[in-house]
Amino acid sequence: MGIMCRSLWAFLLLSLVVVQLSLPVSATDGIFRINLKKRQLDRDSRIALRMASEDSESGRASLRKFRFRNSIADVSETDIIPLKNYMDAQYFGEIGIGTPPQKFTVIFDTGSSNLWVPSSKCYFSVACYFHSKYKAGQSRTYQKNGKSAEIRYGTGAISGFFSEDYTTVGDLVVKNQVFIEATKESSLTFLVAKFDGILGLGFQEISVGNVVPLWYNMVEQGLVKEPVFSFWFNRNAVEDEGGELVFGGADPSHYKGNHTYVPVTLKGYWQFDMGNVLVGGQSTGVCSDGCAAIADSGTSLIAGPTATITEINHAIGASGVVSQECKTVVQQYGQTILALLLAETQPKKICSQIGLCTFDGARGVSMDIKSVVDAKEEKSSGSLGDGMCSACEMAVVWMQNQLRQNLTQERILDYANQLCEKLPSPMGESSVDCASLESMPSVSFTIGGKEFSLTPEQYILKVGDGPAAQCISGFTALDVAPPRGPLWILGDVFMGVYHTVFDYGNLRVGFAEAA
Protein backbone atom coordinates (compact mmCIF):
# COMPACT_ATOMS: atom_id res chain seq x y z
CA MET A 1 0.00 0.00 0.00
CA GLY A 2 1.16 2.91 -0.68
CA ILE A 3 5.37 2.38 0.20
CA MET A 4 5.42 2.83 2.03
CA CYS A 5 7.97 4.37 7.13
CA ARG A 6 7.73 3.75 11.19
CA SER A 7 8.04 4.99 15.12
CA LEU A 8 6.47 7.31 17.59
CA TRP A 9 6.50 9.90 14.89
CA ALA A 10 6.32 7.27 12.27
CA PHE A 11 3.24 6.14 13.92
CA LEU A 12 1.93 9.57 14.08
CA LEU A 13 -1.10 9.77 12.01
CA LEU A 14 -3.03 6.75 11.52
CA SER A 15 -5.35 7.20 14.36
CA LEU A 16 -8.32 9.16 15.50
CA VAL A 17 -9.50 10.55 12.36
CA VAL A 18 -12.98 11.22 11.44
CA VAL A 19 -15.90 10.20 10.92
CA GLN A 20 -19.24 11.86 10.48
CA LEU A 21 -19.44 11.32 6.81
CA SER A 22 -22.26 12.44 4.59
CA LEU A 23 -23.13 10.93 1.28
CA PRO A 24 -24.86 13.45 -0.97
CA VAL A 25 -26.36 11.71 -3.97
CA SER A 26 -26.13 13.32 -7.37
CA ALA A 27 -28.98 12.95 -9.80
CA THR A 28 -26.44 13.00 -12.59
CA ASP A 29 -24.74 9.76 -13.54
CA GLY A 30 -21.06 9.60 -12.73
CA ILE A 31 -20.83 12.10 -9.85
CA PHE A 32 -20.37 11.06 -6.25
CA ARG A 33 -19.05 12.61 -3.08
CA ILE A 34 -17.85 11.32 0.25
CA ASN A 35 -17.19 13.92 2.93
CA LEU A 36 -14.53 13.52 5.58
CA LYS A 37 -13.69 15.46 8.71
CA LYS A 38 -10.44 16.18 10.51
CA ARG A 39 -9.61 16.31 14.21
CA GLN A 40 -6.78 17.83 16.17
CA LEU A 41 -4.06 15.37 17.03
CA ASP A 42 -3.85 14.86 20.77
CA ARG A 43 -1.16 13.29 22.86
CA ASP A 44 -2.79 9.89 23.08
CA SER A 45 -3.55 9.71 19.40
CA ARG A 46 0.05 10.02 18.23
CA ILE A 47 0.05 6.41 17.30
CA ALA A 48 0.41 5.77 13.66
CA LEU A 49 1.86 8.31 11.34
CA ARG A 50 1.69 6.05 8.42
CA MET A 51 -0.58 3.28 8.22
CA ALA A 52 1.04 0.13 7.21
CA SER A 53 3.79 0.97 4.88
CA GLU A 54 6.28 -0.89 2.88
CA ASP A 55 5.84 -4.50 2.24
CA SER A 56 3.08 -6.83 1.22
CA GLU A 57 2.45 -9.45 -1.36
CA SER A 58 0.81 -6.68 -3.29
CA GLY A 59 2.83 -3.77 -2.17
CA ARG A 60 2.33 -1.61 0.89
CA ALA A 61 -0.09 0.55 2.74
CA SER A 62 -0.24 3.95 4.41
CA LEU A 63 -2.10 7.35 4.65
CA ARG A 64 -4.23 9.98 2.72
CA LYS A 65 -6.70 13.12 2.05
CA PHE A 66 -9.21 15.86 0.03
CA ARG A 67 -12.46 18.45 -0.67
CA PHE A 68 -15.45 19.34 -2.92
CA ARG A 69 -16.82 22.22 -4.98
CA ASN A 70 -19.66 22.34 -7.48
CA SER A 71 -17.59 23.50 -10.41
CA ILE A 72 -16.91 20.41 -12.46
CA ALA A 73 -16.63 21.20 -16.15
CA ASP A 74 -18.93 18.34 -17.14
CA VAL A 75 -20.57 16.68 -14.20
CA SER A 76 -22.01 13.97 -16.39
CA GLU A 77 -18.52 12.63 -17.03
CA THR A 78 -17.01 12.69 -13.56
CA ASP A 79 -17.51 11.19 -10.14
CA ILE A 80 -16.43 13.10 -7.08
CA ILE A 81 -15.54 11.96 -3.59
CA PRO A 82 -15.08 14.88 -1.18
CA LEU A 83 -12.96 13.84 1.78
CA LYS A 84 -12.11 15.25 5.15
CA ASN A 85 -8.62 15.83 6.40
CA TYR A 86 -6.89 14.76 9.61
CA MET A 87 -3.70 16.65 10.42
CA ASP A 88 -2.87 16.75 6.69
CA ALA A 89 -1.98 13.11 7.06
CA GLN A 90 -5.03 10.90 6.69
CA TYR A 91 -7.91 11.26 4.29
CA PHE A 92 -10.92 8.99 4.41
CA GLY A 93 -14.17 8.36 2.58
CA GLU A 94 -17.23 6.20 2.92
CA ILE A 95 -18.29 3.31 0.72
CA GLY A 96 -20.96 0.63 0.94
CA ILE A 97 -20.69 -3.11 0.37
CA GLY A 98 -23.69 -5.34 -0.18
CA THR A 99 -27.40 -4.87 -0.85
CA PRO A 100 -28.54 -2.91 1.06
CA PRO A 101 -25.15 -1.19 1.43
CA GLN A 102 -23.24 -1.77 4.65
CA LYS A 103 -21.19 1.38 5.33
CA PHE A 104 -17.40 1.41 5.77
CA THR A 105 -14.85 4.18 6.12
CA VAL A 106 -11.85 3.50 3.88
CA ILE A 107 -8.58 5.00 2.77
CA PHE A 108 -8.37 5.49 -1.01
CA ASP A 109 -4.87 4.22 -1.67
CA THR A 110 -3.00 4.46 -4.98
CA GLY A 111 -0.20 2.37 -3.44
CA SER A 112 -2.20 -0.87 -3.26
CA SER A 113 -4.84 -2.58 -5.35
CA ASN A 114 -7.15 -4.61 -3.10
CA LEU A 115 -10.32 -3.67 -1.27
CA TRP A 116 -10.62 -5.09 2.24
CA VAL A 117 -12.87 -4.51 5.24
CA PRO A 118 -13.31 -6.34 8.57
CA SER A 119 -15.47 -9.45 8.49
CA SER A 120 -18.21 -10.44 10.91
CA LYS A 121 -16.20 -13.67 11.19
CA CYS A 122 -13.29 -11.76 12.77
CA TYR A 123 -13.54 -13.18 16.30
CA PHE A 124 -10.03 -13.05 17.75
CA SER A 125 -8.63 -9.65 16.71
CA VAL A 126 -9.43 -6.82 19.09
CA ALA A 127 -9.22 -4.29 16.22
CA CYS A 128 -12.29 -5.80 14.57
CA TYR A 129 -14.45 -4.97 17.58
CA PHE A 130 -13.77 -1.26 17.10
CA HIS A 131 -14.75 -1.10 13.44
CA SER A 132 -17.68 -1.85 11.17
CA LYS A 133 -17.80 -5.47 10.03
CA TYR A 134 -19.22 -6.92 6.82
CA LYS A 135 -22.08 -9.38 7.32
CA ALA A 136 -22.54 -11.55 4.26
CA GLY A 137 -25.88 -12.91 5.48
CA GLN A 138 -27.41 -9.44 5.37
CA SER A 139 -26.68 -8.87 1.68
CA ARG A 140 -28.92 -10.06 -1.17
CA THR A 141 -26.08 -9.74 -3.69
CA TYR A 142 -23.35 -11.58 -1.77
CA GLN A 143 -21.56 -14.39 -3.61
CA LYS A 144 -19.24 -16.82 -1.89
CA ASN A 145 -15.62 -17.13 -2.96
CA GLY A 146 -13.80 -18.42 0.10
CA LYS A 147 -10.22 -18.40 -1.18
CA SER A 148 -7.80 -17.36 1.57
CA ALA A 149 -6.01 -14.02 1.39
CA GLU A 150 -3.28 -12.23 3.29
CA ILE A 151 -1.65 -8.79 3.02
CA ARG A 152 1.45 -7.87 5.02
CA TYR A 153 2.24 -4.24 5.73
CA GLY A 154 5.22 -2.59 7.37
CA THR A 155 3.32 -2.12 10.63
CA GLY A 156 1.08 -5.16 10.65
CA ALA A 157 -0.91 -7.57 8.53
CA ILE A 158 -4.45 -8.59 7.69
CA SER A 159 -5.67 -12.00 6.62
CA GLY A 160 -9.01 -13.51 5.76
CA PHE A 161 -10.77 -14.70 2.64
CA PHE A 162 -12.17 -13.38 -0.63
CA SER A 163 -15.86 -12.64 -1.11
CA GLU A 164 -17.87 -11.00 -3.87
CA ASP A 165 -20.61 -8.37 -3.63
CA TYR A 166 -21.91 -5.09 -5.00
CA THR A 167 -19.84 -2.10 -3.89
CA THR A 168 -21.30 1.40 -3.67
CA VAL A 169 -19.03 4.42 -4.07
CA GLY A 170 -21.03 7.61 -3.87
CA ASP A 171 -24.03 6.96 -6.08
CA LEU A 172 -22.19 4.46 -8.30
CA VAL A 173 -22.70 0.74 -7.81
CA VAL A 174 -19.91 -1.58 -8.93
CA LYS A 175 -21.32 -5.06 -9.47
CA ASN A 176 -19.66 -8.30 -8.40
CA GLN A 177 -16.56 -6.75 -6.83
CA VAL A 178 -14.17 -9.25 -5.26
CA PHE A 179 -12.85 -8.02 -1.91
CA ILE A 180 -11.21 -9.39 1.21
CA GLU A 181 -13.14 -10.09 4.39
CA ALA A 182 -10.46 -9.60 7.05
CA THR A 183 -10.75 -12.13 9.87
CA LYS A 184 -7.47 -11.19 11.51
CA GLU A 185 -5.90 -7.75 11.95
CA SER A 186 -2.58 -7.74 13.74
CA SER A 187 -0.82 -4.79 15.39
CA LEU A 188 -1.89 -1.72 17.30
CA THR A 189 -2.03 0.22 14.05
CA PHE A 190 -5.38 -1.25 13.04
CA LEU A 191 -6.74 -0.99 16.56
CA VAL A 192 -6.28 2.78 16.83
CA ALA A 193 -7.04 3.55 13.19
CA LYS A 194 -10.31 5.32 12.54
CA PHE A 195 -10.71 3.79 9.11
CA ASP A 196 -12.30 0.37 8.69
CA GLY A 197 -10.46 -0.77 5.59
CA ILE A 198 -8.55 0.19 2.46
CA LEU A 199 -9.66 0.65 -1.13
CA GLY A 200 -6.69 0.20 -3.45
CA LEU A 201 -6.39 2.25 -6.64
CA GLY A 202 -3.16 0.74 -7.94
CA PHE A 203 -2.73 -1.62 -10.86
CA GLN A 204 -3.82 -5.24 -11.00
CA GLU A 205 -0.16 -6.27 -11.24
CA ILE A 206 0.18 -5.81 -7.46
CA SER A 207 -3.26 -7.07 -6.52
CA VAL A 208 -3.20 -9.92 -4.02
CA GLY A 209 -4.81 -12.94 -5.67
CA ASN A 210 -4.71 -11.09 -9.02
CA VAL A 211 -8.14 -9.70 -8.14
CA VAL A 212 -9.54 -7.13 -10.58
CA PRO A 213 -9.36 -3.77 -8.73
CA LEU A 214 -12.55 -1.83 -8.13
CA TRP A 215 -11.34 1.02 -10.35
CA TYR A 216 -10.92 -1.38 -13.29
CA ASN A 217 -14.50 -2.58 -12.80
CA MET A 218 -15.77 1.00 -12.67
CA VAL A 219 -14.29 1.56 -16.12
CA GLU A 220 -15.31 -1.84 -17.49
CA GLN A 221 -18.92 -1.44 -16.32
CA GLY A 222 -19.17 2.02 -17.92
CA LEU A 223 -19.70 3.89 -14.68
CA VAL A 224 -17.25 6.63 -15.66
CA LYS A 225 -16.84 8.06 -19.13
CA GLU A 226 -13.11 8.75 -18.91
CA PRO A 227 -10.62 6.30 -17.32
CA VAL A 228 -9.14 9.03 -15.14
CA PHE A 229 -9.27 9.88 -11.45
CA SER A 230 -7.69 12.74 -9.55
CA PHE A 231 -6.89 13.86 -6.01
CA TRP A 232 -7.02 17.28 -4.39
CA PHE A 233 -5.98 17.50 -0.74
CA ASN A 234 -7.11 20.45 1.32
CA ARG A 235 -4.10 21.42 3.43
CA ASN A 236 -5.91 24.23 5.24
CA ALA A 237 -5.62 23.13 8.85
CA VAL A 238 -8.65 25.13 10.02
CA GLU A 239 -11.11 23.65 7.53
CA ASP A 240 -13.04 20.45 8.18
CA GLU A 241 -13.24 19.44 4.53
CA GLY A 242 -10.24 17.36 3.62
CA GLY A 243 -10.39 17.50 -0.15
CA GLU A 244 -11.77 15.71 -3.14
CA LEU A 245 -11.33 12.52 -5.11
CA VAL A 246 -12.82 12.73 -8.59
CA PHE A 247 -13.54 9.63 -10.66
CA GLY A 248 -13.80 10.30 -14.39
CA GLY A 249 -11.87 13.56 -14.61
CA ALA A 250 -10.53 16.50 -12.63
CA ASP A 251 -12.09 19.59 -11.07
CA PRO A 252 -10.41 22.66 -12.66
CA SER A 253 -11.18 24.76 -9.59
CA HIS A 254 -8.66 22.73 -7.62
CA TYR A 255 -5.54 23.39 -9.68
CA LYS A 256 -3.72 26.24 -11.43
CA GLY A 257 -2.38 26.11 -14.97
CA ASN A 258 -1.75 22.87 -16.82
CA HIS A 259 -0.65 19.53 -15.49
CA THR A 260 2.84 18.22 -16.20
CA TYR A 261 2.41 14.61 -17.28
CA VAL A 262 4.94 11.80 -17.09
CA PRO A 263 4.39 8.25 -18.38
CA VAL A 264 3.93 5.29 -16.04
CA THR A 265 7.17 3.33 -16.35
CA LEU A 266 6.17 0.24 -14.40
CA LYS A 267 2.60 -0.88 -13.78
CA GLY A 268 1.93 -1.88 -10.22
CA TYR A 269 2.30 1.31 -8.26
CA TRP A 270 1.81 4.54 -10.22
CA GLN A 271 5.53 4.69 -10.95
CA PHE A 272 7.33 7.22 -13.13
CA ASP A 273 10.81 8.62 -13.72
CA MET A 274 11.91 11.56 -11.56
CA GLY A 275 14.93 13.77 -12.03
CA ASN A 276 17.06 15.76 -9.62
CA VAL A 277 16.24 16.47 -5.96
CA LEU A 278 17.30 19.94 -4.84
CA VAL A 279 17.61 21.51 -1.39
CA GLY A 280 17.67 25.30 -1.38
CA GLY A 281 18.25 25.19 -5.13
CA GLN A 282 21.34 22.97 -4.79
CA SER A 283 21.40 19.47 -6.23
CA THR A 284 21.73 16.58 -3.78
CA GLY A 285 23.29 14.57 -6.58
CA VAL A 286 21.28 11.45 -5.77
CA CYS A 287 19.04 11.52 -8.83
CA SER A 288 21.34 13.21 -11.31
CA ASP A 289 21.00 10.09 -13.45
CA GLY A 290 17.29 9.76 -12.71
CA CYS A 291 15.29 7.94 -10.06
CA ALA A 292 12.06 6.04 -9.94
CA ALA A 293 9.17 7.58 -8.00
CA ILE A 294 5.57 6.74 -7.21
CA ALA A 295 2.62 8.98 -6.39
CA ASP A 296 1.03 7.37 -3.35
CA SER A 297 -2.12 8.71 -1.72
CA GLY A 298 -1.66 6.00 0.90
CA THR A 299 1.57 7.42 2.34
CA SER A 300 1.57 10.48 4.57
CA LEU A 301 5.13 11.63 4.12
CA ILE A 302 7.77 11.78 1.40
CA ALA A 303 10.06 8.76 1.55
CA GLY A 304 13.42 8.45 -0.16
CA PRO A 305 16.96 7.05 0.11
CA THR A 306 18.46 7.43 3.57
CA ALA A 307 21.52 9.32 2.31
CA THR A 308 19.45 12.04 0.65
CA ILE A 309 16.80 12.21 3.35
CA THR A 310 19.61 12.74 5.86
CA GLU A 311 20.98 15.60 3.76
CA ILE A 312 17.53 17.17 3.61
CA ASN A 313 16.92 16.76 7.33
CA HIS A 314 20.36 18.23 8.04
CA ALA A 315 19.59 21.23 5.83
CA ILE A 316 16.29 21.90 7.59
CA GLY A 317 17.77 21.40 11.07
CA ALA A 318 15.95 18.20 11.88
CA SER A 319 17.34 16.22 14.80
CA GLY A 320 17.71 12.48 14.58
CA VAL A 321 19.60 9.73 16.37
CA VAL A 322 23.38 9.49 16.18
CA SER A 323 24.57 6.55 14.13
CA GLN A 324 27.83 5.30 15.61
CA GLU A 325 28.42 3.06 12.60
CA CYS A 326 28.18 6.06 10.30
CA LYS A 327 30.61 8.14 12.35
CA THR A 328 32.99 5.20 12.58
CA VAL A 329 33.05 4.85 8.80
CA VAL A 330 33.75 8.57 8.34
CA GLN A 331 36.47 8.54 10.99
CA GLN A 332 38.26 5.41 9.83
CA TYR A 333 37.65 5.44 6.09
CA GLY A 334 36.76 9.04 5.24
CA GLN A 335 40.18 10.02 3.88
CA THR A 336 40.39 6.80 1.86
CA ILE A 337 36.96 7.41 0.34
CA LEU A 338 37.98 10.95 -0.62
CA ALA A 339 41.22 9.72 -2.16
CA LEU A 340 39.38 7.14 -4.27
CA LEU A 341 36.82 9.73 -5.38
CA LEU A 342 39.63 12.10 -6.40
CA ALA A 343 41.25 9.21 -8.27
CA GLU A 344 37.98 8.95 -10.21
CA THR A 345 37.23 5.48 -8.93
CA GLN A 346 33.66 4.47 -9.73
CA PRO A 347 31.67 5.57 -6.63
CA LYS A 348 29.65 2.36 -6.59
CA LYS A 349 32.82 0.29 -6.24
CA ILE A 350 34.51 2.28 -3.47
CA CYS A 351 32.91 0.56 -0.49
CA SER A 352 33.76 -2.86 -1.88
CA GLN A 353 37.34 -1.78 -2.54
CA ILE A 354 37.84 -0.79 1.08
CA GLY A 355 36.27 -4.04 2.26
CA LEU A 356 32.95 -2.83 3.71
CA CYS A 357 30.71 -4.15 0.95
CA THR A 358 30.75 -6.97 -1.58
CA PHE A 359 30.44 -5.65 -5.13
CA ASP A 360 27.95 -7.67 -7.16
CA GLY A 361 28.78 -6.12 -10.50
CA ALA A 362 26.29 -3.30 -10.21
CA ARG A 363 26.40 -2.07 -6.60
CA GLY A 364 27.75 -2.70 -3.15
CA VAL A 365 25.80 -5.22 -1.11
CA SER A 366 25.97 -6.39 2.48
CA MET A 367 24.74 -9.51 4.17
CA ASP A 368 23.54 -7.25 6.97
CA ILE A 369 20.99 -5.44 4.84
CA LYS A 370 17.50 -6.37 5.88
CA SER A 371 14.80 -6.75 3.29
CA VAL A 372 11.17 -5.83 3.10
CA VAL A 373 8.80 -7.84 1.01
CA ASP A 374 7.99 -7.12 -2.59
CA ALA A 375 6.86 -10.60 -3.52
CA LYS A 376 9.64 -11.19 -6.02
CA GLU A 377 12.26 -8.54 -5.21
CA GLU A 378 14.46 -7.66 -2.26
CA LYS A 379 14.68 -4.13 -0.97
CA SER A 380 16.87 -2.50 1.60
CA SER A 381 14.80 -1.62 4.62
CA GLY A 382 16.41 1.72 5.28
CA SER A 383 16.90 0.97 8.96
CA LEU A 384 20.10 1.98 10.70
CA GLY A 385 20.90 -1.67 11.30
CA ASP A 386 21.97 -2.15 7.69
CA GLY A 387 25.60 -2.11 8.84
CA MET A 388 28.87 -0.63 7.78
CA CYS A 389 28.19 -1.25 4.09
CA SER A 390 25.18 1.07 3.92
CA ALA A 391 26.95 3.64 6.14
CA CYS A 392 29.85 3.62 3.71
CA GLU A 393 27.60 4.02 0.69
CA MET A 394 25.90 7.02 2.29
CA ALA A 395 29.28 8.59 3.09
CA VAL A 396 30.37 8.16 -0.55
CA VAL A 397 27.25 9.99 -1.78
CA TRP A 398 27.73 12.84 0.69
CA MET A 399 31.43 13.29 -0.03
CA GLN A 400 30.98 13.08 -3.79
CA ASN A 401 28.37 15.83 -3.60
CA GLN A 402 30.65 18.04 -1.49
CA LEU A 403 33.64 17.51 -3.78
CA ARG A 404 31.61 19.04 -6.60
CA GLN A 405 31.57 22.24 -4.54
CA ASN A 406 35.38 22.29 -4.27
CA LEU A 407 35.41 22.16 -0.47
CA THR A 408 38.47 21.24 1.56
CA GLN A 409 38.97 17.70 2.85
CA GLU A 410 38.50 18.90 6.40
CA ARG A 411 35.18 20.55 5.63
CA ILE A 412 33.94 17.52 3.70
CA LEU A 413 34.70 15.13 6.55
CA ASP A 414 33.15 17.51 9.06
CA TYR A 415 30.03 17.73 6.89
CA ALA A 416 29.78 13.93 6.69
CA ASN A 417 30.07 13.69 10.48
CA GLN A 418 27.28 16.24 10.87
CA LEU A 419 25.06 14.20 8.59
CA CYS A 420 25.79 11.09 10.63
CA GLU A 421 24.44 12.94 13.66
CA LYS A 422 21.29 13.82 11.73
CA LEU A 423 20.47 10.29 10.69
CA PRO A 424 16.92 9.47 11.78
CA SER A 425 16.21 6.85 14.38
CA PRO A 426 15.51 3.29 13.21
CA MET A 427 11.83 4.21 13.27
CA GLY A 428 12.32 7.21 11.01
CA GLU A 429 11.40 10.19 13.17
CA SER A 430 13.00 13.61 12.78
CA SER A 431 11.77 16.77 14.49
CA VAL A 432 12.52 20.45 13.90
CA ASP A 433 12.24 23.69 15.84
CA CYS A 434 8.85 25.20 14.98
CA ALA A 435 10.35 28.69 15.38
CA SER A 436 12.89 28.14 12.60
CA LEU A 437 10.59 27.52 9.64
CA GLU A 438 11.41 30.87 8.06
CA SER A 439 15.10 29.98 7.79
CA MET A 440 14.58 26.54 6.28
CA PRO A 441 15.28 25.96 2.58
CA SER A 442 12.84 24.83 -0.07
CA VAL A 443 13.01 21.25 -1.30
CA SER A 444 12.33 20.57 -4.98
CA PHE A 445 11.71 17.51 -7.14
CA THR A 446 12.27 17.53 -10.90
CA ILE A 447 9.42 15.81 -12.74
CA GLY A 448 8.97 15.95 -16.48
CA GLY A 449 11.74 18.56 -16.70
CA LYS A 450 9.94 20.90 -14.28
CA GLU A 451 10.83 21.67 -10.67
CA PHE A 452 8.08 21.08 -8.12
CA SER A 453 9.07 22.93 -4.94
CA LEU A 454 7.89 22.60 -1.36
CA THR A 455 8.25 25.38 1.20
CA PRO A 456 8.95 24.64 4.89
CA GLU A 457 5.32 25.34 5.72
CA GLN A 458 4.36 22.68 3.18
CA TYR A 459 6.78 19.91 4.16
CA ILE A 460 6.59 20.28 7.96
CA LEU A 461 3.77 18.67 9.97
CA LYS A 462 2.79 20.61 13.07
CA VAL A 463 1.45 18.63 16.02
CA GLY A 464 -0.41 20.50 18.75
CA ASP A 465 -0.70 24.23 19.50
CA GLY A 466 1.11 26.88 21.49
CA PRO A 467 4.30 26.22 23.46
CA ALA A 468 3.64 22.48 23.40
CA ALA A 469 3.51 22.34 19.60
CA GLN A 470 5.98 20.06 17.87
CA CYS A 471 7.05 20.09 14.24
CA ILE A 472 7.86 16.89 12.36
CA SER A 473 9.88 16.62 9.19
CA GLY A 474 7.83 15.48 6.22
CA PHE A 475 10.76 13.42 4.95
CA THR A 476 11.49 9.86 6.03
CA ALA A 477 14.04 7.29 4.94
CA LEU A 478 13.26 4.23 2.84
CA ASP A 479 15.97 2.47 0.86
CA VAL A 480 14.98 0.35 -2.10
CA ALA A 481 17.80 -1.57 -3.76
CA PRO A 482 18.34 -1.66 -7.53
CA PRO A 483 16.96 -2.57 -9.95
CA ARG A 484 13.70 -1.31 -8.39
CA GLY A 485 15.44 1.55 -6.60
CA PRO A 486 16.45 4.13 -5.70
CA LEU A 487 12.76 4.80 -5.27
CA TRP A 488 10.99 7.89 -3.99
CA ILE A 489 7.47 7.83 -2.59
CA LEU A 490 5.68 11.12 -3.05
CA GLY A 491 2.95 10.85 -0.47
CA ASP A 492 0.40 13.27 0.90
CA VAL A 493 2.97 15.91 1.85
CA PHE A 494 3.69 16.27 -1.88
CA MET A 495 0.20 15.56 -3.23
CA GLY A 496 -1.24 18.13 -0.85
CA VAL A 497 0.71 20.83 -2.67
CA TYR A 498 0.25 19.44 -6.16
CA HIS A 499 -3.09 18.30 -7.56
CA THR A 500 -2.51 14.84 -9.00
CA VAL A 501 -4.19 13.16 -11.97
CA PHE A 502 -3.99 9.39 -12.46
CA ASP A 503 -4.68 8.78 -16.15
CA TYR A 504 -5.38 5.08 -16.52
CA GLY A 505 -6.34 5.39 -20.19
CA ASN A 506 -3.04 6.95 -21.25
CA LEU A 507 -0.90 5.37 -18.48
CA ARG A 508 0.44 8.63 -17.13
CA VAL A 509 0.49 10.74 -13.96
CA GLY A 510 0.04 14.52 -13.97
CA PHE A 511 0.87 17.24 -11.44
CA ALA A 512 -0.27 20.86 -11.21
CA GLU A 513 -0.19 23.44 -8.43
CA ALA A 514 -3.18 22.90 -6.18
CA ALA A 515 -5.69 25.72 -5.81
Side-chain angles (χ1 to χ4, degrees):
M1 165 169 261
I3 277 149
M4 39 334 157
C5 322
R6 9 188 196 305
S7 155
L8 186 58
W9 301 127
F11 268 15
L12 182 44
L13 302 96
L14 200 102
S15 63
L16 278 96
V17 207
V18 46
V19 166
Q20 296 192 348
L21 304 135
S22 61
L23 189 61
V25 176
S26 169
T28 306
D29 237 355
I31 297 290
F32 62 89
R33 309 177 177 94
I34 300 178
N35 292 322
L36 302 168
K37 288 183 180 279
K38 57 187 174 185
R39 292 179 55 175
Q40 289 300 310
L41 183 65
D42 60 34
R43 192 173 172 185
D44 294 330
S45 66
R46 284 163 114 166
I47 302 178
L49 174 115
R50 344 178 22 170
M51 150 126 201
S53 350
E54 322 20 312
D55 41 16
S56 83
E57 178 186 334
S58 71
R60 359 151 337 238
S62 289
L63 313 127
R64 19 279 166 185
K65 46 243 176 214
F66 320 161
R67 174 187 171 198
F68 167 75
R69 294 180 187 170
N70 290 312
S71 56
I72 307 298
D74 184 350
V75 294
S76 66
E77 299 181 7
T78 58
D79 291 300
I80 304 165
I81 298 181
L83 310 172
K84 291 201 167 72
N85 172 10
Y86 174 65
M87 292 302 297
D88 290 337
Q90 290 185 324
Y91 296 77
F92 301 80
E94 187 177 88
I95 66 169
I97 300 179
T99 307
Q102 300 172 38
K103 301 294 182 64
F104 298 94
T105 300
V106 298
I107 287 173
F108 294 91
D109 178 30
T110 58
S112 66
S113 300
N114 290 87
L115 168 62
W116 69 264
V117 296
S119 172
S120 61
K121 296 180 175 62
C122 182
Y123 304 120
F124 303 110
S125 292
V126 176
C128 290
Y129 290 91
F130 290 86
H131 296 94
S132 299
K133 295 183 285 293
Y134 172 76
K135 302 175 180 65
Q138 295 183 9
S139 173
R140 299 192 303 271
T141 47
Y142 162 76
Q143 295 186 47
K144 182 178 180 179
N145 180 303
K147 182 181 177 181
S148 62
E150 181 178 11
I151 302 180
R152 294 187 178 277
Y153 300 114
T155 54
I158 66 102
S159 59
F161 57 91
F162 290 109
S163 291
E164 186 175 314
D165 210 334
Y166 284 22
T167 300
T168 303
V169 185
D171 60 348
L172 301 183
V173 179
V174 180
K175 298 178 180 178
N176 305 321
Q177 177 63 44
V178 176
F179 66 100
I180 297 172
E181 288 193 51
T183 56
K184 183 178 181 180
E185 298 182 24
S186 63
S187 93
L188 180 64
T189 298
F190 298 111
L191 175 63
V192 300
K194 291 300 180 180
F195 59 86
D196 301 313
I198 295 170
L199 194 162
L201 294 171
F203 290 92
Q204 188 171 358
E205 279 76 358
I206 60 169
S207 175
V208 171
N210 198 36
V211 167
V212 177
L214 182 137
W215 164 245
Y216 283 44
N217 284 329
M218 272 190 186
V219 175
E220 180 66 25
Q221 295 175 23
L223 301 180
V224 292
K225 183 174 181 180
E226 298 295 331
V228 173
F229 61 90
S230 59
F231 281 98
W232 169 69
F233 295 157
N234 182 12
R235 304 292 281 185
N236 190 327
V238 300
E239 294 185 9
D240 284 341
E241 291 175 303
E244 176 181 274
L245 165 59
V246 178
F247 283 114
D251 183 346
S253 69
H254 290 322
Y255 60 89
K256 301 175 184 177
N258 297 320
H259 287 79
T260 297
Y261 285 95
V262 285
V264 171
T265 55
L266 183 62
K267 290 171 68 177
Y269 306 118
W270 288 85
Q271 183 171 321
F272 54 91
D273 287 336
M274 185 179 79
N276 209 352
V277 180
L278 302 96
V279 179
Q282 298 295 316
S283 170
T284 59
V286 70
C287 287
S288 55
D289 296 326
C291 284
I294 66 171
D296 185 4
S297 64
T299 296
S300 295
L301 307 184
I302 294 174
T306 300
T308 307
I309 293 298
T310 303
E311 284 193 81
I312 293 173
N313 281 333
H314 171 71
I316 68 177
S319 299
V321 175
V322 174
S323 169
Q324 191 57 48
E325 284 180 333
C326 180
K327 294 177 73 70
T328 298
V329 166
V330 174
Q331 181 180 2
Q332 295 184 5
Y333 301 96
Q335 293 182 344
T336 303
I337 292 172
L338 281 173
L340 290 171
L341 285 171
L342 290 170
E344 298 185 353
T345 302
Q346 291 186 32
K348 292 180 179 179
K349 293 184 177 181
I350 288 176
C351 293
S352 61
Q353 287 191 17
I354 62 179
L356 295 179
C357 296
T358 299
F359 190 69
D360 69 353
R363 67 189 191 280
V365 296
S366 168
M367 294 303 292
D368 294 331
I369 295 179
K370 300 176 182 178
S371 65
V372 289
V373 179
D374 188 24
K376 304 180 180 73
E377 300 182 40
E378 284 190 11
K379 308 173 186 177
S380 163
S381 70
S383 74
L384 299 188
D386 287 351
M388 302 286 276
C389 174
S390 58
C392 176
E393 290 179 330
M394 285 189 289
V396 169
V397 172
W398 298 336
M399 293 180 190
Q400 183 183 25
N401 192 40
Q402 293 300 296
L403 277 173
R404 295 191 183 103
Q405 301 180 37
N406 296 317
L407 299 179
T408 65
Q409 175 178 299
E410 183 180 0
R411 290 187 63 183
I412 292 173
L413 293 176
D414 181 62
Y415 176 75
N417 267 306
Q418 290 181 46
L419 290 186
C420 286
E421 294 176 354
K422 296 296 183 180
L423 280 169
S425 78
M427 299 304 283
E429 73 267 16
S430 293
S431 61
V432 300
D433 181 358
C434 293
S436 62
L437 264 64
E438 291 184 2
S439 63
M440 294 181 190
S442 63
V443 178
S444 304
F445 300 87
T446 306
I447 302 173
K450 179 179 179 180
E451 288 184 14
F452 291 81
S453 294
L454 303 177
T455 65
E457 292 77 14
Q458 292 168 335
Y459 62 67
I460 294 297
L461 292 176
K462 191 172 183 180
V463 182
D465 296 306
Q470 293 180 300
C471 289
I472 310 303
S473 169
F475 302 98
T476 190
L478 178 67
D479 291 315
V480 179
R484 194 69 180 263
L487 180 69
W488 285 80
I489 299 139
L490 304 184
D492 297 342
V493 166
F494 184 87
M495 291 176 62
V497 180
Y498 294 101
H499 180 274
T500 307
V501 173
F502 297 84
D503 188 341
Y504 175 70
N506 294 301
L507 289 180
R508 60 181 186 169
V509 183
F511 303 97
E513 183 181 353

